[in-house]
Amino acid sequence: MDKPYVIGIDIGGTNSVFGVVDTRGNVLYNGSIKTGKYEDVNDYVRALGEGLQAVIRSAGGRDKIKGIGVGAPNGNYFNGCIEFAANLPWKGKVPLAQLISDRTGGIPVTLTNDANAAAIGEMTYGAARGLKDFIVITLGTGVGSGIVCGGNLVYGHDGFAGELGHTTVRRENGRLCGCGRHGCLETYASATDVARTARELLTMRTDASLLRALEPDKITSKDVFDAAVQGDKLSIEIFDITGEILGEAFANFVAFSSPEAIILFGGLSKAGDLIMEPVKRSMEAHMLKVFQGKTRLLFSQLKESDAAVLGASALGWEAKDEPMDALV
């Protein structure tokens, strides 16, 4: 293969990580920069470009790189722009794919949002290899999703399809979401909101729990997991409540796309059977009969430390020979 490598870039609110990846999904050379350090996107791209040039040299030069894939909040696949991302320092519509391509000497760049990148990563390197219809659910600070139907990622007419974390799961007295609405799935099933559920139950109840030894405002989902592993009944119940809501939502998702599998990706999935078992029970209990027993629930198979870069890098294999003209 003349161009045996791609580059993956995962842009987060705190850090941007990048790496050179081969066809087997091995991250060969990597690096990172602080996203939030650069209020001007041009300064950011300049610093990112320096890091990219270093790993490109390590890989044997620009002629070895087929393309660059970027996963970013509010990334629009159609025009290569980040649009109005709340947790990034650059406002409005930023033509990031074009800027990165220009900085790397014309290497084609494909950009999408981070959950879509995770779905493509699973299809290329992970649990979705060989699958044509599946959904990846990212359970981290929020809840994201990437939907694949017939082997193609669902983007919608504007590039922003698949915001399943913002489907409404509780219409009466639903929790306030960062999007401004109430009752979104994200407000009950993210790692952040597992801790929120813990604080609510500790306030409402008087039963004993290992969590009562912690400062309420500092409780994390990891604390809830650690307590549950030790047999703490309240913590196990928190995962049951979270799994019940997730499973109910998954039954709805199955009804519109009939996926072969739903793949859990991200921090909360590390809870293993504590989250998976209640999700399975709830999903099947709420499922339309014709779909029961047909959709598998799987964990991501991407290596945790490389998952973000691998997901983004998978976009690089489909990068066009010529960089797109970003619409600004």
Side-chain angles (χ1 to χ4, degrees), residues 10-72:
D10 180 74
I11 299 174
T14 303
N15 296 307
S16 295
V17 294
F18 51 88
V20 175
V21 179
D22 67 15
T23 56
R24 296 190 175 187
N26 299 307
V27 180
L28 305 177
Y29 313 99
N30 55 42
S32 67
I33 64 170
K34 295 289 186 184
T35 312
K37 180 180 177 181
Y38 304 96
E39 294 186 6
D40 187 319
V41 71
N42 294 296
D43 293 336
Y44 169 81
V45 172
R46 191 175 299 113
L48 178 64
E50 292 174 0
L52 292 175
Q53 293 293 353
V55 296
I56 289 170
R57 285 194 297 270
S58 297
R62 187 164 62 90
D63 291 341
K64 298 291 185 182
I65 308 298
K66 185 181 188 305
I68 296 173
V70 183

Side-chain angles (χ1 to χ4, degrees), residues 34 56 108 113 169 173 235:
K34 295 289 186 184
I56 289 170
N113 75 41
V169 296
N173 300 314
S235 298

Side-chain angles (χ1 to χ4, degrees), residues 2 21-22 32 35 41 53-54 58 138 142 147 170 241-242 262 295:
D2 292 337
V21 179
D22 67 15
S32 67
T35 312
V41 71
Q53 293 293 353
S58 297
T138 60
I147 304 167
R170 292 293 181 269
I241 291 169
T242 305
I262 296 176
T295 299

Side-chain angles (χ1 to χ4, degrees), residues 237-252:
E237 184 179 345
I238 290 165
F239 280 108
D240 285 343
I241 291 169
T242 305
E244 167 70 23
I245 294 171
L246 261 178
E248 181 182 326
F250 286 3
N252 288 331

Side-chain angles (χ1 to χ4, degrees), residues 239 243 246 250 262-264 268-269 271-283 296-300:
F239 280 108
L246 261 178
F250 286 3
I262 296 176
I263 299 166
L264 304 187
L268 191 58
S269 67
D273 285 345
L274 279 169
I275 189 68
M276 184 65 90
E277 290 306 315
V279 170
K280 283 181 179 177
R281 288 195 303 269
S282 176
M283 184 178 82
R296 290 177 288 159
L297 289 178
L298 305 172
F299 288 118
S300 169

